[in-house]
Amino acid sequence: MKFEMVSYKRLTPEEVNFAGAALLDPDETTDTDLKEVNPELPLLPQSRRCSITVALLTLGGLIVVLFGIWLLGTIFWLHTPPSTKPHRPPPPAVAKSPNGTWLQPESCSQIPEAWRFDCYPERGVVVTEEMCHARNCCFIQSSQTKTSGRNGVPWCFYTPDYPSYELVSITDTEMGKVGKLLRNKKTYYPKDIDALQVEVLYEEDNRLRVKITDPAEKRYEVPIDVPVVQKKASNPSYTVDFIKEPFGLIVKRTQTGTVLLNTSIAPLFYADQFLQMSTSLPSRFIYGLGEHRSNFLHDVQWNTLTMWARDVPPMELTNLYGVHPFYLSMESDGMAYGFFMLNSNAMDVALQPAPAITWRMIGGILDFYIFLGPDPSSVIAQYLDVVGKPAMPIFWALGYHLCRWGYKSSDKTWNVVKEMRNNGIPQDVQWNDIDYMDHALDFTYDTVNFSGLPELVKDLHRHDQHYVMILDPGISNSQLPGSYWPFDEGMKRGIFINDSNGDVLIGKVWPGLTAFPDFSNPDTHEWWYQNLKRFHEKVPFDGVWIDMNEPSNFFDGSLNGCPDNELENPPYTPGILGGTLKAKTVCASARQKISTHYNIHSLYGLMEAKATESALRKITDKRPFVISRSTFPSQGKYSGHWLGDNRSQWKDLATSIPGMLTFNILGIPLIGADICGFGGSTTEELCVRWTQLGAFYPFSRNHNSIDEQDQEPTAFSPAARTAMKEAILLRYSLFPHLYTLFHHAHISGRTVATPLLFQFPNDEKTYGIDKQFLWGKSLLVTPVLEEGRDYVVGYFPEGLWYDFHTGDSLVSSGEEISLQAPKDKINLHLREGSVIPTQRPNTTLWVSSSQPLHLIVSLSEDGLAKGDLFWDDGETLDTYEKDQYAYIYFTVQQNTMTSEVLHNHEEATYITVETVSFYGVKTEPENITVNSQEAAFTYHNNQVLTVRDLGLNLSHNFTISWM
């Protein structure tokens, strides 16, 4: 929602320094070098010849002395706290030329630029040849320099034989293999872990898991539930090979031999606060890796994506609100696989044009999964088998939502709702931002300006509408003792985040000085529930919007700053906005119940969502509605997400589509952007086009900032208002289809808003498309995304398509087609072979959902089609799991449509099928029969056959045939 910008200083070469002097390798120090220190002194004092016994005693004594010195030095080194300054690397393993300059292996120049792996990834540093050679790395200046904040070809990169780990043993286990890795040479980061264990777990035929851990000491692991598999896959679709030295892991697809993982291309690092692993990619087509503003298809041209949850308006090349270390990659033959790095520490993910990817993390372990698909949809389903499939939303979550920061009173809020009703514009949910609160205090409302809030909510309920309020995690600590229960009770229960000294950490957010609940503590969940329950008794809200939960902090760290230690100043800091881990959040060294904030910072939004979802289940006894700004893998089980504080600009309209598609493949299908834009004032044309696109966001909310011009649909001209109304009514008519798509997301891990490549993986032209998308498999959305346009160009994959509105057919060979797009229209097309259930729309989904159905059938060239409908009461918890639902399957073949009730429920008895339209009937029928009874019909020259006034009960099977 709101934000504060922060600036930071970029280092110059003169400001770069190392701690301590260079450590010399005795093997590389010549006699000449030693003599230059004091040429007058011999290496050892001269002595007369002596007996063998004396010689042996002398030699033995010398060995004992040297061993003692080594032992003391080792003990001292182990007990010396790490420096908070950049770590001094060991000396280069290269020779010197006669003039004293460094020589590097000839193999350096033979490494193609695309395959150069960065040996000096620190940000804000101009790397010199001396600095690079101090890390034993190649140095070649590239013509492609760093520009526009991007990375370029690294000047400093690893030699082909750079030291790494050696695989010293490998044995079979019940689940796969386990091996031991040893490192013989120190790296340039402190606290190397010299001995590692690698576990390769054959969990499923299409899922492989690899864990690389420290066998001597337990390290932090991400506390989300993942499957614990007891039986090894019987017929894996992959092979795993090992390279002994330097250690490498190679995973191939058995069917094609495609290499999906090859970690031997660059050295493995595993230090206490620096883990690095690289792998080749089978193609340049890579998706996911949220949350970032970018195209849906990531750029592999030296593109580094930083992950560390941050409160910042969406912008390119910046770590944003959420962290999702998962990617989907296409292979050259149309197959796909996925990769998930289960790690929550701050990280950089570096893409390069080899193509290859490098993971750099500053804590935790290497714990990753590979999903073999083989198609994109299967990859996502397999990923969600691990992290959890999304929740089935309550029905009204799929309606139209209105919100703004700055209604400033309950009367103004109420007037907006009334104007929407008076104009017959659908609206299911009204929201309020922080201005409803008393001085921005959670669990309060302003009894002066929002005195009518309780009555407003009751009125919404009387009109089958719903209310959502915002909550920020920061709890004010500045109120009079005994006057603010949330803080007083929180202190009693000890549920706030503490600083490194064990005192409650104090930051600053909207109410002023605040404490932050520790949602990793189960006691905090109970305290949060009690607060929500107490407030619900005053204002009976229906859902909760959790914002500022990165967590955001107007201070860098805390009121008292942060200590100067290795958690605040790690040896390597990823490219975080602000340059430090504490930038606009709490101290990394802060203490939470299960770990330091350093490890679990990016889990804060997930943990708060989990607490909120649980509380709402208890309070409402219905499906919870939660929208969260910060997210992490498994978030879809607990909440949806919106794309943050966008702006009222055409660019933001366009970039909302790749954001929406990315979160669908990340398992959070309840996703949308602020319609018409949050920051800045919109224009009428922009708001119309955005409302048309927003009608097809899975989560559709118009949200506005304080003191900007009004942007609800009723604020514009009659023509614009009508265009927006028609777009929202169109969404409501498609509710049965949208609801069914969410059912499949919930039980099977499918996408709701679907990239074209998912349905056309063999058409490479679809791989970069993010200006169009599908709902499910069949409904193609082609919005206008540019100002002043009355047409739009869209790509149609090969096949037969139908205009959704008219049924006109379009045959494509796989080409771009220009479509007319007047200001009151959004282009929709149906893919051949589908059946889409629609419904007569109304102003709320409660009313719409009881209206008769209109089935739209788009026949394939050979007259086939299929589709389905999931139906329940829309709000009861776990209806699918409890068998409290109806499921109907529609098929068309040989001029006959069949509706088969595969699972029946009382809810289906309340719905009738009133109309069926068949697109693509090539000749006019002589007669139509419905359940063997003749029926009236109409047939148009564009090959659309329509049967009306059917009155067929949805809970009964039926057939419609034509001849």
Side-chain angles (χ1 to χ4, degrees):
M1 162 233 106
K2 285 69 63 182
F3 59 91
E4 286 192 358
M5 293 297 294
V6 61
S7 62
Y8 59 97
K9 181 180 179 183
R10 187 174 294 277
L11 296 175
T12 65
E14 291 74 24
E15 293 173 305
V16 178
N17 60 85
F18 292 100
L23 303 174
L24 296 175
D25 187 335
D27 293 337
E28 294 177 23
T29 306
T30 66
D31 289 349
T32 303
D33 293 330
L34 286 170
K35 289 177 181 177
E36 286 175 353
V37 176
N38 190 342
E40 303 298 325
L41 295 176
L43 293 178
L44 290 172
Q46 298 293 321
S47 62
R48 292 174 298 175
R49 292 181 180 272
C50 57
S51 68
I52 294 175
T53 302
V54 174
L56 289 174
L57 288 172
T58 303
L59 181 60
L62 181 60
I63 291 171
V64 170
V65 171
L66 290 174
F67 177 79
I69 293 171
W70 173 84
L71 183 62
L72 288 172
T74 301
I75 294 170
F76 177 80
W77 175 75
L78 288 172
H79 287 81
T80 301
S83 169
T84 58
K85 297 181 181 180
H87 186 67
R88 180 64 178 180
V94 291
K96 284 184 178 181
S97 67
N99 63 6
T101 59
W102 295 112
L103 293 177
Q104 61 188 15
E106 291 184 7
S107 58
C108 289
S109 61
Q110 297 170 6
I111 301 176
E113 288 189 346
W115 286 95
R116 294 177 182 175
F117 290 86
D118 199 347
C119 178
Y120 220 113
E122 284 81 355
R123 303 293 181 97
V125 176
V126 178
V127 182
T128 65
E129 186 172 5
E130 290 75 19
M131 294 163 65
C132 179
H133 283 158
R135 292 190 171 186
N136 301 344
C137 289
C138 303
F139 184 83
I140 299 176
Q141 290 188 353
S142 170
S143 58
Q144 182 182 345
T145 57
K146 297 181 180 181
T147 58
S148 304
R150 297 175 59 100
N151 293 330
V153 178
W155 293 8
C156 183
F157 54 96
Y158 298 110
T159 59
D161 57 351
Y162 198 90
S164 183
Y165 287 87
E166 177 186 0
L167 178 65
V168 296
S169 68
I170 186 79
T171 57
D172 293 331
T173 67
E174 290 186 0
M175 283 300 299
K177 295 183 182 297
V178 62
K180 181 178 180 180
L181 307 180
L182 288 181
R183 173 178 283 284
N184 297 318
K185 289 190 177 181
K186 293 291 182 183
T187 69
Y188 45 84
Y189 288 111
K191 296 185 180 180
D192 279 311
I193 300 173
D194 294 329
L196 298 173
Q197 176 175 284
V198 55
E199 288 182 90
V200 180
L201 306 171
Y202 296 68
E203 293 197 338
E204 300 283 351
D205 288 347
N206 289 305
R207 185 175 86 220
L208 176 73
R209 185 182 188 184
V210 178
K211 294 184 72 174
I212 303 178
T213 57
D214 179 357
E217 185 173 345
K218 176 72 173 175
R219 292 175 60 82
Y220 163 76
E221 297 185 29
V222 180
I224 66 171
D225 294 330
V226 295
V228 178
V229 181
Q230 304 293 343
K231 186 178 179 181
K232 181 179 176 181
S234 59
N235 187 28
S237 58
Y238 46 84
T239 60
V240 182
D241 297 316
F242 300 87
I243 297 176
K244 181 180 178 182
E245 187 175 17
F247 168 70
L249 192 65
I250 299 175
V251 178
K252 298 179 183 177
R253 186 183 295 279
T254 305
Q255 179 181 348
T256 62
T258 301
V259 175
L260 307 180
L261 183 83
N262 180 2
T263 68
S264 69
I265 59 174
L268 171 68
F269 282 69
Y270 208 119
D272 184 42
Q273 291 181 274
F274 185 82
L275 290 75
Q276 178 172 281
M277 184 187 81
S278 301
T279 176
S280 59
L281 296 169
S283 80
R284 65 180 179 86
F285 301 109
I286 182 170
Y287 312 85
L289 299 173
E291 181 175 8
H292 298 91
R293 172 175 280 200
S294 68
N295 295 332
F296 178 56
L297 170 62
H298 283 298
D299 184 1
V300 297
Q301 295 297 317
W302 308 108
N303 180 18
T304 298
L305 303 168
T306 299
M307 297 191 190
W308 178 254
R310 179 61 150 83
D311 172 6
V312 60
M315 62 181 71
E316 289 77 4
L317 303 172
T318 305
N319 54 299
L320 301 181
Y321 311 109
V323 165
H324 293 269
F326 166 84
Y327 68 77
L328 168 81
S329 179
M330 298 299 295
E331 300 162 42
S332 59
D333 52 9
M335 291 187 176
Y337 79 100
F339 182 101
F340 173 43
M341 180 66 76
L342 182 51
N343 187 290
S344 63
N345 288 89
M347 70 177 76
D348 279 336
V349 184
L351 299 170
Q352 63 190 77
I357 185 170
T358 296
W359 299 85
R360 298 188 194 102
M361 295 150 292
I362 64 170
I365 65 171
L366 290 175
D367 184 0
F368 56 89
Y369 293 82
I370 300 175
F371 309 100
L372 277 288
D375 59 276
S377 296
S378 298
V379 170
I380 302 309
Q382 291 157 14
Y383 169 57
L384 297 182
D385 282 340
V386 170
V387 301
K389 298 181 181 70
M392 184 68 187
I394 195 165
F395 76 96
W396 51 261
L398 307 185
Y400 183 69
H401 302 240
L402 264 182
C403 182
R404 80 170 299 167
W405 177 28
Y407 284 128
K408 300 181 179 179
S409 72
S410 52
D411 287 345
K412 172 61 177 175
T413 309
W414 209 334
N415 286 337
V416 168
V417 175
K418 291 175 181 177
E419 288 176 12
M420 292 287 286
R421 291 174 188 164
N422 293 339
N423 283 275
I425 302 175
Q427 181 192 1
D428 262 81
V429 194
Q430 181 60 52
W431 298 42
N432 275 126
D433 208 315
I434 59 170
D435 45 313
Y436 82 89
M437 298 179 184
D438 181 11
H439 295 90
L441 298 172
D442 276 354
F443 308 111
T444 70
Y445 71 94
D446 182 344
T447 56
V448 177
N449 294 315
F450 280 83
S451 59
L453 184 58
E455 282 304 312
L456 164 61
V457 175
K458 292 176 184 177
D459 179 73
L460 289 169
H461 292 166
R462 284 194 294 268
H463 287 82
D464 305 315
Q465 294 172 300
H466 301 85
Y467 180 73
V468 172
M469 64 175 189
I470 193 172
L471 284 176
D472 294 338
I475 301 295
S476 172
N477 74 326
S478 305
Q479 309 307 304
L480 292 174
S483 67
Y484 187 46
W485 194 86
F487 179 74
D488 294 337
E489 187 66 18
M491 288 297 292
K492 287 180 185 177
R493 301 189 187 196
I495 54 85
F496 294 117
I497 294 176
N498 291 329
D499 62 23
S500 57
N501 294 321
D503 300 319
V504 172
L505 184 146
I506 301 301
K508 182 181 181 182
V509 204
W510 297 110
L513 297 181
T514 55
F516 296 89
D518 176 8
F519 289 104
S520 75
N521 185 347
D523 294 341
T524 308
H525 290 221
E526 177 62 25
W527 166 86
W528 191 247
Y529 160 67
Q530 293 290 340
N531 277 287
L532 284 165
K533 183 174 180 292
R534 287 161 57 93
F535 190 67
H536 190 266
E537 292 167 357
K538 301 174 184 176
V539 179
F541 57 86
D542 301 289
V544 178
W545 169 23
I546 49 177
D547 192 16
M548 306 287 284
N549 56 350
E550 291 73 31
S552 179
N553 184 3
F554 296 166
F555 293 140
D556 286 343
S558 79
L559 175 65
N560 299 318
C562 303
D564 183 8
N565 60 27
E566 68 276 7
L567 294 180
E568 300 296 339
N569 304 292
Y572 177 81
T573 300
I576 295 163
L577 179 65
T580 63
L581 298 178
K582 66 184 178 183
K584 297 297 175 256
T585 189
V586 303
C587 298
S589 57
R591 299 180 186 176
Q592 296 189 237
K593 178 72 173 182
I594 64 171
S595 189
T596 60
H597 195 73
Y598 180 91
N599 289 324
I600 62 175
H601 165 82
S602 294
L603 295 172
Y604 195 88
L606 170 64
M607 291 177 172
E608 185 189 18
K610 192 172 182 178
T612 307
E613 190 267 356
S614 174
L616 286 178
R617 275 179 173 257
K618 297 177 187 176
I619 292 168
T620 67
D621 197 30
K622 297 176 183 177
R623 296 175 207 167
F625 177 78
V626 183
I627 294 292
S628 175
R629 190 168 73 179
S630 188
T631 59
F632 192 81
S634 78
Q635 189 93 22
K637 295 196 296 184
Y638 311 107
S639 83
H641 175 59
W642 92 107
L643 292 172
D645 296 345
N646 61 6
R647 297 190 62 78
S648 299
Q649 298 173 351
W650 289 90
K651 174 185 176 182
D652 291 63
L653 168 67
T655 57
S656 70
I657 299 177
M660 172 184 65
L661 294 177
T662 295
F663 272 93
N664 268 266
I665 72 172
L666 296 176
I668 308 177
L670 191 62
I671 176 70
D674 286 343
I675 295 171
C676 302
F678 174 73
S681 288
T682 191
T683 65
E684 182 167 285
E685 181 188 2
L686 175 60
C687 203
V688 168
R689 292 304 194 190
W690 212 324
T691 302
Q692 290 169 344
L693 171 58
F696 291 89
Y697 292 156
F699 166 55
S700 183
R701 181 186 72 162
N702 179 320
H703 181 39
N704 194 4
S705 187
I706 194 167
D707 296 330
E708 304 291 355
Q709 71 179 50
D710 294 346
Q711 64 183 37
E712 56 271 7
T714 56
F716 297 98
S717 70
R721 190 184 312 153
T722 299
M724 295 184 197
K725 176 180 176 180
E726 291 302 314
I728 301 169
L729 284 168
L730 176 59
R731 176 187 180 86
Y732 276 49
S733 73
L734 285 162
F735 169 73
H737 180 51
L738 180 60
Y739 195 66
T740 301
L741 294 179
F742 269 97
H743 164 69
H744 289 303
H746 173 57
I747 65 167
S748 303
R750 295 187 195 170
T751 52
V752 174
T754 304
L756 268 70
L757 73 91
F758 274 49
Q759 292 302 309
F760 303 94
N762 293 311
D763 182 355
E764 194 171 305
K765 294 178 183 176
T766 65
Y767 289 10
I769 291 178
D770 58 11
K771 292 181 171 55
Q772 295 169 276
F773 58 95
L774 296 158
W775 262 14
K777 299 179 179 180
S778 306
L779 187 62
L780 178 62
V781 183
T782 308
V784 173
L785 303 173
E786 297 177 80
E787 186 175 9
R789 296 293 179 92
D790 59 2
Y791 71 94
V792 62
V793 176
Y795 179 76
F796 286 79
E798 182 178 359
L800 179 59
W801 299 84
Y802 297 92
D803 185 298
F804 175 83
H805 305 283
T806 66
D808 292 344
S809 62
L810 181 160
V811 179
S812 174
S813 60
E815 58 196 301
E816 289 188 335
I817 296 176
S818 181
L819 307 167
Q820 294 300 308
K823 287 187 172 61
D824 61 351
K825 177 183 179 182
I826 182 169
N827 276 278
L828 295 181
H829 289 82
L830 280 174
R831 183 184 180 188
E832 62 177 312
S834 58
V835 179
I836 301 292
T838 70
Q839 204 161 29
R840 188 184 305 160
N842 210 291
T843 53
T844 67
L845 286 177
W846 178 257
V847 179
S848 291
S849 61
S850 64
Q851 300 302 304
L853 294 176
H854 174 200
L855 305 180
I856 301 177
V857 180
S858 55
L859 296 173
S860 65
E861 190 64 37
D862 50 4
L864 303 177
K866 60 184 178 180
D868 60 352
L869 173 64
F870 174 85
W871 206 248
D872 61 12
D873 69 4
E875 60 184 13
T876 297
L877 292 163
D878 305 321
T879 56
Y880 176 76
E881 292 76 8
K882 296 175 182 176
D883 286 334
Q884 298 174 0
Y885 68 94
Y887 182 71
I888 297 93
Y889 195 72
F890 307 107
T891 57
V892 181
Q893 57 182 348
Q894 298 180 341
N895 296 351
T896 298
M897 177 181 188
T898 301
S899 173
E900 184 178 4
V901 181
L902 299 181
H903 195 282
N904 216 338
H905 187 261
E906 179 185 3
E907 289 294 327
T909 65
Y910 305 140
I911 305 297
T912 60
V913 176
E914 197 70 18
T915 307
V916 180
S917 294
F918 299 89
Y919 295 172
V921 178
K922 296 177 181 179
T923 58
E924 183 174 356
E926 294 182 3
N927 65 72
I928 295 282
T929 59
V930 178
N931 291 333
S932 302
Q933 301 294 315
E934 286 198 15
F937 66 92
T938 60
Y939 182 82
H940 296 282
N941 292 335
N942 64 346
Q943 301 184 344
V944 174
L945 169 67
T946 302
V947 188
R948 292 186 173 87
D949 303 323
L950 292 170
L952 298 167
N953 195 288
L954 187 63
S955 65
H956 298 153
N957 295 344
F958 65 81
T959 60
I960 301 175
S961 300
W962 65 93
M963 297 178 61

